[in-house]
Amino acid sequence: MIKLTYLAHSAFRIEFEKYKILIDPFITGNPLSPVRADEVEADYIVLTHAHGDHIGDALEIGKRCKSTIIAVNELANYFNSKGVNAHNMHIGGSHSFPFGKVKFTIAHHGSSDSDGNYMGEPAGVLLFINGKIIYHAGDTGLFTDMKLIGEMNKIDVALLPIGDNFTMGISDAVKAAEYLNPRLTIPMHYNTFPVIAANPDEFVETVKKIGKSAKKLNFGETIEL
Ligand code: NI
Ligand code: MN
């Protein structure tokens, strides 16, 4: 069984067997985070891109827990240069880890660090764990290849940004849910900052209107897959 916990913004924790996997652990500085950075543990940290609200506490957690960072080449190199073990990948590539398989997809966005240094291309990520498929879209605008991602992968849970301004807003994210056709869609990347204020209940209701399943997770809430 897989446990999926929403840590607010785009941060999720996946627990499967003895493995703890974090995605985009932006905790310190996130007023909505239900956890403290120094209390979370990770064997692996998957990063979609280098923006501060996604790499977040990855360096601190990675050093403390001796985690392996999984990211596109340029971003993985950054963590390697800081003394954290990283596995370099890139968009379109997949690799099997002890907990399951990871595949990076395209995302339409940017990915520089706070000094403006290029950190590779932004990505979304597919996680294949114990027969289930989780898709984390990262930060992205809507793109029609989501239809292909959905056709080639029977997605169990799609994690989609809805906060607008930097990513898809609600109406585009509903279209993404239609393209991806997952068993369940969960909204993310909303309400952390005023500029990405969005109503997750409105998203959930609109997805349901097109005959698909969606659920808002509370901050810190866990579901089992
Ligand atoms: Ni971003
Ligand atoms: Mn973001």
Side-chain angles (χ1 to χ4, degrees), residues 43-47 55 58-59 62-63 66-90 95 97 104:
D43 302 296
Y44 295 89
I45 303 173
V46 179
L47 299 176
I55 63 171
L59 194 56
K63 282 186 173 170
K66 300 191 179 1
S67 326
T68 297
I69 303 280
I70 303 173
V72 299
N73 186 58
E74 294 82 355
L75 185 53
N77 284 342
Y78 167 80
F79 280 90
N80 261 322
S81 77
K82 298 287 183 188
V84 179
N85 182 43
H87 182 99
N88 301 40
M89 295 184 66
H90 233 302
H95 183 79
F97 295 88
F104 281 104

Side-chain angles (χ1 to χ4, degrees), residues 9-10 49 51 53-54 109 139 166-167 189:
H9 204 59
S10 295
H49 65 294
H51 289 158
D53 60 317
H54 294 262
H109 194 63
D139 279 358
F166 300 112
T167 69
H189 208 270

Side-chain angles (χ1 to χ4, degrees), residues 117-176:
N117 298 307
Y118 173 68
M119 287 288 180
E121 294 300 297
V125 65
L126 286 159
L127 297 141
F128 305 79
I129 304 173
N130 198 32
K132 304 285 185 187
I133 303 179
I134 299 167
Y135 171 63
H136 185 297
D139 279 358
T140 187
L142 178 66
F143 54 90
T144 51
D145 278 5
M146 285 178 174
K147 208 166 184 171
L148 181 65
I149 293 170
E151 278 172 15
M152 295 181 71
N153 303 281
K154 202 169 174 356
I155 297 169
D156 290 283
V157 181
L159 311 170
L160 302 181
I162 65 162
D164 217 339
N165 193 78
F166 300 112
T167 69
M168 298 186 284
I170 287 177
S171 56
D172 283 8
V174 170
K175 192 65 174 175

